[in-house]
C-alpha cells in the first residue's frame, strides 16, 4: 500500500473551500467540533439510554453515555499507541478521530431508546426500514445543517469509522417475518426489530465512501452471515470503528451497571450469581481474583468505593485490548482491528447480558419502552395521514421534494427520529389529548 494511502480518506464529499486565518486544526479536530456543535448531538441529553429520561437527574442519558464512551475511546487509542507503535503509526491512529466517532456513534438513535427504534422500523418496513446506526450515517452525510446538502460533511475516514454495519437493510432483512398486526397496540418488539444496516436510499453516499478501497476489499467488507431464523448480520468493521465499538460496549456494560446499582434495581446476590461467579471461572489474570472484592465495592454504601471499582473494571478491559491483522484484506484500515482477548470478551459479555436481563428487561423499563413505542407509531401514522397539513413548514418542503421519488415516508422518519423523548411526548399530548397544548409544539425538534 502506498505510503500516502490516507490522503483520500481526508477528503470530504463537498470539498472544503473556506480557509480561516490561524486555524491549524487537523481534519479530525474539525470533525469533532462539527459533531459537538450539532443539534443532533445536543439532543442526546434528552434521549433515553437505559432508563427513561426525567425519572431521576442522576443516571445516564444518551449524551452522558456518549461522553463516557469518548473518554474510554481515547484511553484505548493511547494504550494501543503505546503497546502497538508500529501498527498504530502505519494506521495513523488519531485520538481526535476516535473521540469524534464515540461522540457521534448514537446521534441516529430515536426517542425512547429501542422502543422508538422498533416503532420507526415497523412503520417504515415497506419504505426501506429504520435503524439507529443507519440513521447516524444519514445525519452526518445528509441531514445535519452544517452544509445545505451534505450534512456535517465529515472527512471520509470519520464516516467510515461510524459504519458499524456495512450493508443495506433490504439485504440483511429476514423476510419470514410475522404478519402485520391489525392494531399498533399489538405490535410486539420482535415485529419491528430491525436488521442493523444502512438505507438503500443512501447507497450513492456509501459508494462514494468506499471509493479508495480495492474492489476485492469492498466486496469482502460488505460480506454477511446468513441466518435461517433471524436477520442476517455483517461481518467486518474498519479499524477505527472497532475501537469505537469496544468503547461503546465497555461504557454500556460497566458504566450503565453503576446506574442500576445506584437505583437499587439489582441486588448484591444477583450480581454475584450473574457476573462475579462466572467471571471468576474464566480465569482472567487479575480480574478473576479481584472480582468478588470489586463486587463488594460496587455495592458499598460509600460512593467513592463504587467509583473506584468502576474505574478498575474499565481499566482492566482497556488495557487488555490488542491489535489483530486479518490477512483477507489488503487495505490497512480494514486489515487491522482492535479486539479483546477471548476471555475478556466473555467477561464483558457477561456484564452486558446482566445489564440487559436484570435492568432493560425489567417490566417497569419495558413499560416505558412500550409507551414510547406507541407514541412514535401514532405520531408517524398521524403525519403520514396528511403531511401537507400536519408537518411543520421546513419538514413539509423536504417531504414534497422527497415525494417526487416516492421517498416521503423517509422524511417523516427523519423528523420523528430527531425528536427528544420530551418533545415527542409533548407533541403527542398536543395532537391527541383534548385541551392540551397550543399547537406551538409542532416546531423543528
Amino acid at each position: 500500500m502506498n505510503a500516502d494511502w490516507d490522503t483520500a480518506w481526508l477528503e470530504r464529499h463537498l470539498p472544503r473551500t473556506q480557509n480561516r486565518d490561524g486555524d491549524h486544526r487537523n481534519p479530525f479536530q474539525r470533525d469533532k467540533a462539527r459533531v459537538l456543535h450539532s443539534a443532533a448531538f445536543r439532543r442526546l441529553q434528552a434521549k433515553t439510554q437505559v432508563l427513561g429520561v426525567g425519572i431521576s437527574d442522576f443516571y445516564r442519558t444518551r449524551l452522558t453515555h456518549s461522553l463516557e464512551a469518548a473518554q474510554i475511546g481515547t484511553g484505548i487509542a493511547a494504550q494501543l499507541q503505546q503497546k502497538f507503535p508500529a501498527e498504530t503509526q502505519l494506521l495513523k491512529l488519531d485520538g481526535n478521530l476516535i473521540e469524534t466517532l464515540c461522540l457521534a456513534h448514537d446521534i441516529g438513535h430515536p426517542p425512547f431508546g429501542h422502543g422508538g427504534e422498533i416503532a420507526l422500523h415497523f412503520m417504515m418496513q415497506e419504505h426501506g426500514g429504520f435503524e439507529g446506526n443507519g440513521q447516524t450515517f444519514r445525519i452526518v452525510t445528509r441531514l445535519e445543517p452544517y452544509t445545505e446538502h451534505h450534512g456535517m460533511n465529515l472527512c471520509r475516514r470519520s464516516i467510515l469509522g461510524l459504519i458499524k454495519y456495512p450493508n443495506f437493510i433490504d439485504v440483511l432483512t429476514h423476510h419470514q417475518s410475522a404478519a402485520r398486526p391489525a392494531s399498533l397496540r399489538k405490535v410486539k418488539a420482535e415485529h419491528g426489530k430491525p436488521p442493523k444496516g444502512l438505507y438503500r436510499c443512501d447507497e450513492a453516499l456509501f459508494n462514494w465512501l468506499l471509493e479508495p478501497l480495492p474492489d476485492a476489499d469492498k466486496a469482502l467488507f460488505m460480506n454477511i452471515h446468513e441466518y435461517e431464523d433471524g436477520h442476517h448480520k455483517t461481518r467486518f468493521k474498519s479499524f477505527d470503528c472497532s475501537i469505537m465499538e469496544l468503547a461503546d460496549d465497555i461504557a454500556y456494560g460497566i458504566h450503565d451497571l453503576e446506574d442500576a446499582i445506584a437505583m437499587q434495581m439489582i441486588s448484591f446476590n444477583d450480581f454475584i450469581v450473574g457476573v462475579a461467579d462466572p467471571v471468576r471461572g474464566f480465569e482472567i489474570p487479575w480480574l478473576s481474583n479481584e472480582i468478588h472484592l470489586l463486587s463488594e465495592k460496587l455495592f458499598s454504601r460509600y460512593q467513592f468505593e463504587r467509583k473506584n471499582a468502576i474505574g478498575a473494571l474499565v481499566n482492566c478491559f482497556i488495557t487488555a485490548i490488542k491489535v489483530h491483522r486479518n490477512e483477507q484484506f489488503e487495505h490497512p484500515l480494514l486489515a487491522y482491528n482492535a479486539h479483546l482477548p477471548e476471555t475478556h470478551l466473555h467477561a464483558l459479555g457477561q456484564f452486558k447480558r446482566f445489564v440487559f436481563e436484570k435492568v432493560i428487561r425489567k417490566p417497569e423499563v419495558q413499560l416505558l419502552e412500550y409507551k414510547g413505542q406507541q407514541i412514535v407509531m401514532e405520531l408517524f401514522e398521524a403525519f403520514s395521514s396528511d403531511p401537507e397539513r400536519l408537518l411543520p413548514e421546513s419538514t413539509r418542503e423536504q417531504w414534497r421534494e422527497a415525494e417526487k421519488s416516492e421517498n416521503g415516508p423517509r422524511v417523516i422518519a427523519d423528523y420523528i427520529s430527531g425528536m427528544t423523548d420530551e418533545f415527542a411526548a409533548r407533541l403527542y399530548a398536543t395532537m391527541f389529548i383534548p385541551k392540551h397544548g397550543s399547537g406551538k409544539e409542532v416546531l423543528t425538534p
Side-chain angles (χ1 to χ4, degrees):
M1 183 69 63
N2 192 294
D4 63 351
W5 58 264
D6 66 324
T7 303
W9 294 101
L10 301 182
E11 294 175 351
R12 303 177 189 275
H13 199 251
L14 177 66
R16 187 170 179 266
T17 56
Q18 292 180 339
N19 290 312
R20 294 174 177 145
D21 291 343
D23 186 355
H24 301 296
R25 295 173 299 170
N26 71 27
F28 305 128
Q29 290 172 316
R30 292 192 182 97
D31 285 355
K32 181 171 71 172
R34 294 180 187 191
V35 170
L36 279 171
H37 292 289
S38 68
F41 181 73
R42 290 195 301 275
R43 289 181 188 128
L44 295 178
Q45 67 185 303
K47 290 192 177 187
T48 295
Q49 169 62 12
V50 172
L51 303 171
V53 172
I55 297 176
S56 167
D57 61 1
F58 168 79
Y59 52 69
R60 290 160 172 85
T61 63
R62 289 272 179 189
L63 179 64
T64 58
H65 162 76
S66 298
L67 293 171
E68 287 174 337
Q71 185 270 329
I72 293 170
T74 54
I76 295 172
Q79 283 284 331
L80 295 181
Q81 286 168 329
Q82 182 180 18
K83 291 183 177 180
F84 301 91
E87 291 86 347
T88 53
Q89 287 174 20
L90 169 67
L91 292 159
K92 302 183 182 182
L93 176 61
D94 187 294
N96 287 294
L97 167 62
I98 301 304
E99 188 175 7
T100 300
L101 302 182
C102 293
L103 290 171
H105 80 281
D106 265 355
I107 60 173
H109 282 263
F112 306 112
H114 293 293
E117 186 176 53
I118 286 166
L120 282 176
H121 182 62
F122 181 80
M123 302 305 288
M124 287 291 292
Q125 278 182 344
E126 297 177 3
H127 309 286
F130 179 91
E131 197 270 329
N133 297 282
Q135 192 69 16
T136 294
F137 178 77
R138 187 166 172 81
I139 288 171
V140 300
T141 59
R142 285 184 184 272
L143 300 180
E144 184 64 32
Y146 184 87
T147 63
E148 186 175 4
H149 301 297
H150 297 81
M152 295 183 196
N153 197 35
L154 305 182
C155 66
R156 202 182 238 122
R157 182 163 176 175
S158 294
I159 300 172
L160 181 71
L162 288 169
I163 304 293
K164 294 174 71 172
Y165 309 104
N167 211 314
F168 299 100
I169 284 178
D170 57 342
V171 173
L172 297 162
T173 298
H174 184 259
H175 294 284
Q176 296 177 357
S177 56
R180 189 178 180 90
S183 166
L184 294 181
R185 296 197 174 184
K186 293 183 178 181
V187 174
K188 296 183 179 180
E190 58 264 29
H191 288 145
K193 187 176 180 180
K196 295 182 180 296
L198 305 172
Y199 308 145
R200 184 61 73 176
C201 60
D202 295 327
E203 185 174 9
L205 286 164
F206 185 63
N207 290 339
W208 169 83
L209 175 66
L210 301 188
E211 278 178 6
L213 296 174
D215 288 343
D217 278 6
K218 290 180 190 177
L220 183 60
F221 187 48
M222 296 177 67
N223 203 267
I224 63 175
H225 282 300
E226 295 190 11
Y227 296 94
E228 293 294 329
D229 56 350
H231 294 311
H232 310 317
K233 296 179 181 179
T234 58
R235 298 175 57 200
F236 301 109
K237 296 173 177 64
S238 69
F239 173 70
D240 305 317
C241 185
S242 70
I243 296 176
M244 176 266 281
E245 188 167 48
L246 284 169
D248 183 24
D249 286 348
I250 293 169
Y252 168 73
I254 307 301
H255 281 301
D256 288 358
L257 172 69
E258 183 182 6
D259 284 354
I261 294 171
M263 298 292 289
Q264 299 181 338
M265 299 182 72
I266 54 178
S267 70
F268 176 75
N269 288 335
D270 283 341
F271 185 78
I272 293 297
V273 173
V275 178
D277 286 347
V279 168
R280 186 171 188 174
F282 294 155
E283 298 182 356
I284 302 170
W286 184 83
L287 180 58
S288 291
N289 290 334
E290 297 292 325
I291 187 62
H292 280 81
L293 177 60
L294 291 169
S295 303
E296 293 177 5
K297 290 184 176 181
L298 285 171
F299 287 85
S300 169
R301 63 191 180 97
Y302 299 110
Q303 288 190 26
F304 73 89
E305 289 198 335
R306 184 185 305 150
K307 287 292 185 185
N308 180 274
I310 292 290
L313 286 167
V314 171
N315 181 73
C316 171
F317 288 110
I318 288 177
T319 55
I321 294 171
K322 298 180 178 180
V323 174
H324 168 75
R325 179 177 174 86
N326 184 344
E327 298 294 343
Q328 294 175 276
F329 286 102
E330 176 187 350
H331 198 289
L333 286 181
L334 302 187
Y336 290 93
N337 266 198
H339 73 100
L340 278 168
E342 189 172 351
T343 51
H344 285 79
L345 192 62
H346 288 325
L348 183 57
Q350 201 73 31
F351 278 93
K352 289 170 61 183
R353 281 190 296 275
F354 183 76
V355 171
F356 180 78
E357 292 168 4
K358 296 296 184 180
V359 181
I360 294 175
R361 295 301 300 171
K362 272 187 174 292
E364 53 266 43
V365 175
Q366 287 301 305
L367 281 171
L368 288 173
E369 275 200 10
Y370 178 79
K371 177 182 177 181
Q373 178 181 314
Q374 295 303 310
I375 289 173
V376 169
M377 287 191 295
E378 294 208 31
L379 287 176
F380 191 100
E381 189 174 53
F383 285 125
S384 298
S385 70
D386 198 345
E388 289 278 10
R389 179 185 183 191
L390 298 175
L391 286 174
E393 185 175 354
S394 60
T395 308
R396 193 186 315 147
E397 292 174 2
Q398 296 168 18
W399 178 83
R400 287 172 183 155
E401 186 64 29
E403 269 296 281
K404 296 175 183 177
S405 56
E406 299 183 349
N407 207 26
R410 178 61 63 195
V411 172
I412 296 174
D414 290 340
Y415 175 52
I416 295 175
S417 71
M419 296 177 183
T420 62
D421 294 17
E422 176 63 22
F423 183 92
R426 281 192 287 109
L427 183 56
Y428 176 90
T430 298
M431 294 180 76
F432 298 113
I433 299 177
K435 298 184 180 180
H436 191 288
S438 62
K440 292 181 180 179
E441 288 82 353
V442 194
L443 300 171
T444 301

